[in-house]
Amino acid sequence: MYDVVVIGGGPAGMMAAGRAAERGRSVLLLEKNQGLGKELLITGGGRCNVTNNKTEIRTMLSKYKENDQFLFSAFTQFSVKDTLAFFNSREMATKEENEGRIFPVSNSAKSVWDVLVNYMKEGGVKVEAGIEVVGLSVDLETKNIIVATKDKKRIVAKSCILATGGTSRPETGSTGEGFAWLKKLGHTIIENDVALVPVALSDAWAKKLGGVTLNDVKLTTFQNGQKQASVKGKLLFTHFGISGPTVLNMSKEIGELLKYGEVIIEIDFFPQMDLGVLRKQLQELLVAESNKKLKNVLSGLIPSALVSPLLIIADISGETVNHSVSTEARKKLVALMKAVPLHVSHLLGADKAIVSSGGVALEEVNFKTMESRLVPNLYIIGDVLNVDRPSGGYSLQLCWTTGFVVGSSC
């Protein structure tokens, strides 16, 4: 019998196993894939956004919205500072990028994976890969947890840590089976849904811009002519529509709006300028290059890949010589650069999700230890919890925090 069995070899499970073993516990980690950390290795485009550099706990917790009240005790035990110290002390240098995102200096998720694998090896964690768990039960007399596997094994442990993830990235093994086990044990499961996903568009011109990135733009959603929300940040055009951190963080709200009708996203290329200032800049550009064609100078204001689509949408000929561009055409161009419409087709499915929302009701978990309040000796961490969070390192920080806390408790 083991002291601890961990189900799920993702980031939360690896951290939990390593910490428990560091404390002298005998630990078995079960992973249904043939190798550990499959999802970890593809996070952040393979670079792995380890955390976000919001070292003040209250500031960090504000990003988890109404869940901050539950997470406070866990984050006081293992915070962003602790995460940075954990990886840096194990010779993984980190760097800060836009919006406080922290990455390995190596730009490789493998660096993070290596730290966690070595951490488990140091403590003597036993890893069994290719093992599919099919159910959990409790020995009513001993309170031990019994883990049943597909190949008819019956594993008994004093404590069990459930780190099976949500339903995002099913190709990595995150298919949500942990929720079914928890429900049978009496837990309340909030309906699971994908939370951070790219947005598909119906605009053909936008799909031709795959790879084009816009920095510091403002995106505003509209439905039935009514403004819904605005955010500023980076936008990435893809072959199906748009993505990037800003879009991912809007996706859940967009998904809700789509239930009630068409959603339009307007891009403001110059959120720091009002119409008057932008109109003046365009006029100065046209005057300075008065004998050139309009299509050949607009790249002085916007990325060259956007020039042709913008002129088509505005119904203005790019062949027009700059000194002949009418006042009406200039006004139309400026207005468009402040509000280019994108028509949402749908959200991409779980196969493209970064994280999933939904999971175990937080009231049913003791966040001082991550132990279930309903099932003694059962611990619940990471994406299994009903915690919404934005893109930017917040999901992995939840894994590090809850994984370390449970490994320090069980």
Side-chain angles (χ1 to χ4, degrees):
M1 182 173 71
Y2 291 89
D3 291 326
V4 181
V5 62
V6 181
I7 305 175
M14 294 168 80
M15 174 64 87
R19 175 56 179 159
E22 184 179 30
R23 294 176 54 243
R25 303 295 189 265
S26 58
V27 182
L28 170 65
L29 187 151
L30 302 175
E31 168 56 47
K32 70 177 181 180
N33 290 316
Q34 293 303 318
L36 296 173
K38 191 172 181 181
E39 185 172 355
L40 177 68
L41 291 170
I42 62 174
T43 60
R47 296 174 62 221
C48 192
N49 186 179
V50 178
T51 186
N52 196 288
N53 196 24
K54 290 182 173 54
T55 52
E56 205 285 315
I57 291 175
R58 288 291 187 190
T59 303
M60 184 68 175
L61 289 179
S62 68
K63 295 297 182 178
Y64 298 91
K65 300 181 180 177
E66 68 276 5
N67 299 313
D68 59 351
Q69 60 180 312
F70 296 100
L71 297 174
F72 183 76
S73 62
F75 271 74
T76 56
Q77 295 179 64
F78 197 82
S79 65
V80 171
K81 288 181 181 178
D82 296 312
T83 295
L84 295 174
F86 175 84
F87 286 104
N88 293 163
S89 67
R90 288 167 173 78
E91 300 183 355
M92 192 194 89
T94 52
K95 60 179 178 177
E96 182 175 345
E97 297 188 3
N98 291 341
E99 300 176 342
R101 296 162 185 268
I102 302 292
F103 291 88
V105 167
S106 66
N107 283 323
S108 173
K110 182 65 163 48
S111 298
V112 182
W113 187 91
D114 286 340
V115 168
L116 293 171
V117 169
N118 289 332
Y119 186 40
M120 291 193 298
K121 283 182 179 177
E122 289 166 7
V125 175
K126 182 178 180 181
V127 176
E128 290 192 13
I131 302 295
E132 187 173 343
V133 174
V134 295
L136 298 176
S137 59
V138 180
D139 185 315
L140 297 178
E141 185 177 334
T142 64
K143 303 301 181 185
N144 290 331
I145 305 294
I146 301 166
V147 180
T149 68
K150 191 174 182 179
D151 58 359
K152 309 299 183 183
K153 284 184 181 179
R154 186 175 178 272
I155 301 166
V156 180
K158 295 176 182 177
S159 300
C160 176
I161 300 172
L162 197 61
T164 50
T167 56
S168 65
R169 299 289 192 181
E171 78 278 10
T172 67
S174 293
T175 52
E177 63 269 35
F179 298 126
W181 308 335
L182 289 167
K183 196 169 184 179
K184 285 183 179 179
L185 291 171
H187 271 286
T188 303
I189 307 300
I190 310 303
E191 184 179 355
N192 197 263
D193 197 5
V194 293
L196 302 181
V197 291
V199 175
L201 302 174
S202 57
D203 307 275
W205 63 268
K207 298 175 187 178
K208 297 176 182 177
L209 300 177
V212 173
T213 299
L214 302 178
N215 294 303
D216 302 319
V217 296
K218 182 169 78 170
L219 301 177
T220 304
T221 50
F222 290 86
Q223 187 164 67
N224 299 323
Q226 297 294 312
K227 177 181 173 180
Q228 301 296 320
S230 290
V231 293
K232 293 179 182 178
K234 181 186 288 188
L235 171 68
L236 169 67
F237 284 97
T238 69
H239 67 281
F240 52 76
I242 51 176
S243 189
T246 307
V247 173
L248 294 174
N249 290 335
M250 297 174 70
S251 62
K252 186 174 183 184
E253 286 74 16
I254 291 172
E256 287 298 312
L257 290 172
L258 284 170
K259 296 175 183 178
Y260 304 101
E262 183 184 39
V263 177
I264 294 174
I265 304 172
E266 288 188 354
I267 311 175
D268 182 350
F269 293 152
F270 303 98
Q272 72 281 10
M273 294 185 202
D274 61 25
L275 285 168
V277 174
L278 184 55
R279 193 177 299 128
K280 184 179 178 182
Q281 282 209 5
L282 177 61
Q283 178 64 10
E284 290 174 351
L285 179 65
L286 297 182
V287 170
E289 306 284 359
S290 61
N291 293 318
K292 290 186 178 180
K293 293 179 179 179
L294 181 59
K295 68 179 183 180
N296 295 328
V297 299
L298 275 183
S299 57
L301 281 178
I302 60 175
S304 56
L306 287 164
V307 171
S308 179
L310 206 67
L311 289 170
I312 292 171
I313 296 170
D315 195 23
I316 297 172
S317 172
E319 300 295 328
T320 307
V321 178
N322 291 335
H323 61 67
S324 299
V325 177
S326 67
T327 300
E328 189 62 32
R330 290 198 301 272
K331 287 182 178 179
K332 189 185 288 188
L333 267 178
V334 169
L336 190 58
M337 284 189 281
K338 294 287 288 180
V340 177
L342 301 174
H343 299 82
V344 177
S345 169
H346 59 278
L347 299 183
L348 271 69
D351 60 324
K352 296 288 191 258
I354 308 303
V355 298
S356 58
S357 62
V360 175
L362 303 188
E363 296 84 356
E364 298 174 358
V365 177
N366 178 357
F367 278 81
K368 292 180 180 179
T369 62
M370 305 313 301
E371 186 176 16
S372 163
R373 294 186 185 275
L374 306 183
V375 184
N377 302 321
L378 177 64
Y379 297 79
I380 305 166
I381 61 173
D383 286 352
V384 185
L385 300 163
N386 181 32
V387 179
D388 280 355
R389 59 271 185 199
S391 170
Y394 301 101
S395 186
L396 278 180
Q397 182 59 53
L398 180 68
C399 290
W400 310 139
T401 293
T402 57
F404 193 89
V405 168
V406 73
S408 302
S409 306
C410 64

